[in-house]
Amino acid sequence: MKFLRVNMTTQTVQWEDVPKKYSTLGGRALTSIVVNSEVPATTDPLGNENKLIFAPGYFTGTTLVNTGRLSVGAKSPLTGGIKESNVGGTVGFSLAKLGIKAIIVEGKAADESSFVLNIEDEEVATLVRSDELKGMRTYAVAEKLHAKFGESKSVTCIGPAGDFQLLSASIQSTDLDGRPCRAAGRGGLGAVMGSKGLKAIVVDRTGRVSEEMANLERFKQASKAYAKDVKADEFSGEILPELGTAVLVEPINAAGAFPTNNARMGQFKGVEKLNGETMAKLIKERGGKTKHKGCSQCIIDCSNEFVTEKGEYVTSSLEYETIWSMGGMIGNDNLDAIARLDFLCDDIGLDTMNTGVAIAVAFDAGYGEFGDAEVAIRLVEEVAAGTKMGMLIGNGPDAVGIHFNHDRVPTVKGQSIAAYDPRAIQGMAVTYATTPMGADHTAGWVVDQNLEAFGGTVEPHGPKGQVEISRNTQIHMAAVDTVGICDFAQSGLATDEGIGNVFTMMSAKSGLSFGEKNWAELGKTVIKVELEFNRKAGLTNKDDRLPLMFYNEPLPPYNVVVKVSDKDMDSTFDY
Amino acid sequence: MKALVRLYGTLPEHYPDNYPDGGLEVEIWENISVAELVELVQVAREHVAIVSINGMLSKADDVIPDGAQVKFFQSITGG
Ligand code: SF4
C-alpha cells in the first residue's frame, strides 16, 4: 500500500511507502493521526499549512461487505478543531484497489487556479489544470469529468460552496450510478479542498491490487459470517431496503426528539407528510426507486431515487437527517421541496444539516417564516449565486446567528446538531457536547438505548447512565470509522459473535492477535489524538458545552431540558 | 372500548392478516397494558421496540386509554 502525497503549491505528486507505524490503520485513525502529527494545530484551516487527508477504511477493498467508506480529515474551518467526515459511494473501494492507503493533499495552488487530481492507476497520478471547472456545480463537474476521463471513473469533488471556501461546504462523491450525491458533509472540509485549489479527484475503478492479508482464508470465512448477520438482521436486512433511514422520522418524532422550527418543539405536526412510509409510497407510485445501492460492496441498499410526479430524477438519496433539516427543522412538510433542497445542497456542495439549520436560525430570527419552502430554496440558490445572504447561509448557523444577533443557535463548536434533540434524548447531549468533532450524531449514536425496549434501557430525559453509554459508543464508533464499516451494517457486529468476527478479520488481515481490549484501545487512541489536537488548537472544556437554549427552554411535548451537568460532561473521556 | 393501532416500518408485513392502510381498530378492555395490546394485535413482541400512545412514548406496562391512537415501531439503528 502507498501514500500519495500531493503538493498543490508545486503541483507535484509523490508516491511514498507507508510508514510501518501506520500499516494496521485506516479511515479515521489514519486521517486523525496524520493531521495531528503533520498539521500545526493553530494554523489557519484555509491556509497553506493545513492538510486534507483521504483514507479508505482498514477493511475497505477487502471481501467484507459494506466497507466502501472513505474518511476525509483536516483541521476544520467550521469547528477550529480536528475533523473526520466519511463518505460512501465508489471512491474508497477504488482507492483501496489501487493500493492507496491515503492521499495527503498539502500546500495551496495560486489564487484562481483550479486542478483535478487524476489517479489513472496504481502508479500514475497527475494534477490537471482545470480553471474552467471553478465555480461549477457538482453534477456538471461529474458529467464533464466523466466525458473527459471515462464514464466509469469515480469522481470526488466540491461545488461552488467549496470554491467560495464556505464553512458548510461538503465534499461530494459519486455513487454507483455516477452521481455526486454521496457527501462527506460535515465540518466544512469542502472549503479546505477549495482553499487548496483542488476541484476534484478522479479515480480509476479497475484497480486490482490485492489487499495485504496475513490469512486470507480466515478473513473470508469471518467476512462471510458477518454478511450473513447483516442480511438476517431485521433493520439492515428488511427495513432499510424498504424505507431507508427515513424510517426514523416517526419513532423519533414520537419520542419528542424531532427538532422542529429551530428546536422550539420536539414534535412536528406535519410528520405524516414526510415520514419514511409516505416517502417510500410516493417514490414507488411515481416510478422512482427504493432499495437502491449507493455504495460499493453494499448488500443493504438503504439508498433511494426520489422522482417528480412525472418520474423525472430529483435526488438520491433522500435520508432521515435531510428530511429533518430541510423539513421539520424549518417547519416544511413538503417532501418535494425537501427533495429539491437535498439535490441543491449536493449540487452546490453543502452539508444539508448545517445548511438547513442555518435557514432555521434565519427563520427563527424573523427572516422568512417557518414552513416557507420557497424562501428556503431561494436561500440555498443564493449560496451558489454568491449573494451576501447566500454567504451567510453557506457559512452555517453561527454566521446567521451573529448577523441577526440571535442567540437560539443549536450548534456545538460551530457545527449544527443533527436530527435528535439533546433534551429528549440526553445521551445525544453528551455526544454532541463532547465529541472532538462538534455536534455530530454519528460519533456516538445512543438513540436505541434511550428509546428501545419500550421506552429505553436508560431514562431518556434524565442524566443517569448517559455519559457512560455515550463514552462507550464514541470509543466503539472511532474504531468502526477506522475499519470503514458503514454505520448501517453494524448489525453484523451487534452480538458477541458478530464483533468476534470483526476481531478475527482484524487479526487475519494484520497477522497480529486482536481482541476486545485492542478494539477499545483503538477507539480510545483515536479520540485521544483528536482531543490532543483540539487542545493544542486552543479548544477547552468550555467548548464542550451545548448552547443555553438546551438548558433553559423546556422542549414540548415532554417539557424537558438537558440535565447532564458540566462536571459529568467533562468526565466523558476520563479513561 | 377501542384503540386504533398503527403499524410502522415493515411491521405491516409481520401482521398475520392484511393490514389496512388507516390502521387497526381493536376492541380493548379496561386497564389493558401496552404489552398486552402487542399480544392482542398478534405481532410478535420481538418485532416491536417502541410504542407511543396518543403521540407520547410509552412503557410496556402503561395502560391504554379508551379511544387511544397507538403506534408500534420496530428496532432502529442509526447514524
Ligand atoms: S447501507 Fe446505505 S450508506 Fe451503507 S453502504 Fe449501503 S447504500 Fe451506502
Side-chain angles (χ1 to χ4, degrees):
Chain A
M1 299 291 276
K2 299 269 182 209
F3 275 175
L4 176 60
R5 210 173 269 274
V6 181
N7 188 315
M8 296 303 299
T9 312
T10 57
Q11 280 113 50
T12 50
V13 301
Q14 204 180 325
W15 297 91
E16 293 175 359
D17 290 334
V18 176
K20 199 157 179 291
K21 61 182 176 187
Y22 295 150
S23 64
T24 58
L25 300 177
R28 177 170 163 189
L30 197 53
T31 62
S32 288
I33 290 172
V34 172
V35 168
N36 187 43
S37 62
E38 294 195 11
V39 176
T42 52
T43 200
D44 171 7
L46 301 176
N48 192 40
E49 289 180 322
N50 198 8
K51 299 191 184 188
L52 187 64
I53 325 287
F54 299 84
Y58 185 60
F59 287 160
T60 310
T62 68
T63 52
L64 180 61
V65 297
N66 290 83
T67 49
R69 305 302 294 180
L70 179 78
S71 286
V72 190
K75 177 175 179 178
S76 161
L78 181 71
T79 68
I82 200 164
K83 191 74 208 173
E84 184 268 354
S85 182
N86 58 66
V87 60
T90 58
V91 60
F93 186 76
S94 309
L95 286 173
K97 280 295 184 196
L98 290 172
I100 296 173
K101 201 168 181 67
I103 306 171
I104 303 171
V105 182
E106 46 195 38
K108 204 172 156 121
D111 277 354
E112 302 312 320
S113 57
S114 194
F115 290 84
V116 171
L117 175 65
N118 180 27
I119 306 178
E120 291 173 46
D121 56 35
E122 59 269 30
E123 282 168 2
V124 181
T126 44
L127 278 168
V128 184
R129 182 131 188 191
S130 311
D131 296 355
E132 70 285 2
L133 299 181
K134 197 154 186 158
M136 196 179 278
R137 296 188 183 203
T138 67
Y139 274 70
V141 170
E143 205 183 305
K144 285 250 184 280
L145 294 179
H146 282 143
K148 184 166 176 173
F149 295 106
E151 289 301 327
S152 69
K153 302 279 178 171
S154 175
V155 174
T156 300
C157 64
I158 54 170
D163 287 317
F164 292 149
Q165 299 174 35
L166 301 178
L167 304 185
S168 302
S170 62
I171 296 175
Q172 298 292 133
S173 203
T174 48
D175 68 355
L176 285 162
D177 301 322
R179 292 178 174 131
C181 58
R182 316 294 314 181
R186 311 235 71 193
L189 294 177
V192 179
M193 195 157 156
S195 74
K196 308 231 161 276
L198 183 62
K199 180 71 180 178
I201 303 175
V202 173
V203 184
D204 182 69
R205 285 179 60 200
T206 59
R208 294 240 176 278
V209 175
S210 47
E211 63 270 20
E212 286 154 8
M213 192 65 80
N215 187 337
L216 184 60
E217 232 3 83
R218 211 166 150 235
F219 189 95
K220 272 190 181 162
Q221 263 175 21
S223 71
K224 249 192 220 160
Y226 191 100
K228 220 170 136 204
D229 289 348
V230 170
K231 269 282 178 215
D233 180 77
E234 186 178 58
F235 193 73
S236 53
E238 178 183 309
I239 301 172
L240 281 174
E242 191 59 33
L243 297 152
T245 56
V247 73
L248 292 168
V249 172
E250 281 283 350
I252 302 302
N253 190 67
F258 193 67
T260 298
N261 291 5
N262 197 32
R264 284 190 181 272
M265 295 172 288
Q267 288 185 336
F268 182 42
K269 64 175 183 330
V271 70
E272 295 211 349
K273 292 196 192 155
L274 45 72
N275 66 26
E277 291 75 6
T278 303
M279 182 196 76
K281 197 162 161 250
L282 194 68
I283 290 177
K284 281 182 194 158
E285 280 168 10
R286 290 176 172 184
K289 288 183 195 151
T290 55
K291 198 179 188 321
H292 178 251
K293 202 182 293 299
C295 316
S296 309
Q297 302 281 90
C298 177
I299 58 164
I300 299 175
D301 303 349
C302 84
S303 176
N304 56 44
E305 248 183 58
F306 192 93
V307 296
T308 63
E309 256 174 86
K310 291 188 190 141
E312 296 149 342
Y313 175 82
V314 179
T315 196
S316 176
S317 153
L318 195 53
E319 296 194 30
Y320 172 61
E321 305 296 337
T322 306
I323 291 178
W324 159 72
S325 65
M326 293 301 184
M329 191 62 169
I330 63 169
N332 167 35
D333 63 9
N334 182 330
L335 211 45
D336 283 298
I338 296 172
R340 174 80 192 144
L341 284 158
D342 181 59
F343 169 78
L344 284 175
C345 283
D346 287 350
D347 204 26
I348 295 166
L350 284 166
D351 174 15
T352 59
M353 284 180 263
N354 234 42
T355 307
V357 175
I359 296 169
V361 173
F363 284 179
D364 206 26
Y367 183 98
E369 257 174 54
F370 285 115
D372 195 336
E374 269 176 37
V375 171
I377 289 171
R378 176 173 58 73
L379 284 173
V380 176
E381 285 282 11
E382 282 196 36
V383 178
T387 67
K388 193 171 163 230
M389 197 57 203
M391 296 295 101
L392 280 177
I393 295 294
N395 275 325
D398 277 15
V400 175
I402 290 167
H403 177 79
F404 288 109
N405 194 19
H406 188 70
D407 66 355
R408 296 192 74 263
V409 183
T411 59
V412 179
K413 302 180 183 70
Q415 182 169 281
S416 80
I417 61 161
Y420 314 90
D421 197 291
R423 289 164 287 190
I425 302 175
Q426 305 239 338
M428 293 310 291
V430 182
T431 295
Y432 289 154
T434 62
T435 164
M437 297 295 151
D440 184 321
H441 64 295
T442 61
W445 195 87
V446 293
V447 176
D448 43 354
Q449 297 97 318
N450 274 270
L451 302 187
E452 285 185 5
F454 299 92
T457 47
V458 290
E459 157 56 32
H461 301 160
K464 201 164 160 234
Q466 302 288 8
V467 166
E468 198 185 343
I469 59 166
S470 174
R471 172 194 303 131
N472 293 339
T473 309
Q474 288 195 58
I475 291 168
H476 171 73
M477 280 314 298
V480 170
D481 290 340
T482 294
V483 296
I485 292 176
C486 167
D487 268 9
F488 308 125
Q490 284 198 66
S491 47
L493 48 74
T495 61
D496 286 351
E497 238 172 68
I499 191 80
N501 286 327
V502 173
F503 303 157
T504 303
M505 286 184 276
M506 286 297 286
S507 148
K509 183 158 157 56
S510 66
L512 305 167
S513 70
F514 197 96
E516 198 179 339
K517 231 178 106 202
N518 308 85
W519 182 254
E521 270 316 308
L522 175 62
K524 283 179 185 175
T525 306
V526 174
I527 292 176
K528 210 171 130 213
V529 160
E530 293 168 349
L531 291 172
E532 187 183 302
F533 184 91
N534 283 0
R535 294 296 173 248
K536 286 188 290 182
L539 298 178
T540 70
N541 56 354
K542 303 250 173 332
D543 297 293
D544 295 342
R545 300 288 179 260
L546 296 161
L548 285 177
M549 57 188 275
F550 293 125
Y551 298 99
N552 296 342
E553 296 178 23
L555 178 74
Y558 296 97
N559 298 319
V560 274
V561 294
V562 169
K563 295 182 193 127
V564 184
S565 70
D566 288 355
K567 193 166 151 257
D568 283 350
M569 292 280 192
D570 289 344
S571 72
T572 305
F573 296 119
D574 283 351
Y575 52 71
Chain B
M1 288 177 71
K2 278 196 169 74
L4 178 70
V5 178
R6 303 194 58 186
L7 307 180
Y8 284 83
T10 54
L11 280 178
E13 291 162 29
H14 294 280
Y15 180 63
D17 272 321
N18 265 342
Y19 173 76
D21 260 359
L24 306 160
E25 274 234 322
V26 187
E27 253 336 302
I28 57 168
W29 56 86
E30 193 124 7
N31 292 330
I32 182 176
S33 70
V34 167
E36 285 166 332
L37 183 67
V38 173
E39 217 167 286
L40 185 68
V41 172
Q42 289 184 34
V43 180
R45 179 151 169 171
E46 73 259 23
H47 292 303
V48 185
I50 303 169
V51 173
S52 74
I53 306 173
N54 295 328
M56 304 293 270
L57 218 54
S58 67
K59 301 268 185 207
D61 50 9
D62 282 353
V63 168
I64 315 278
D66 187 19
Q69 190 182 105
V70 187
K71 295 181 176 181
F72 289 4
F73 308 106
Q74 284 153 299
S75 175
I76 49 179
T77 310

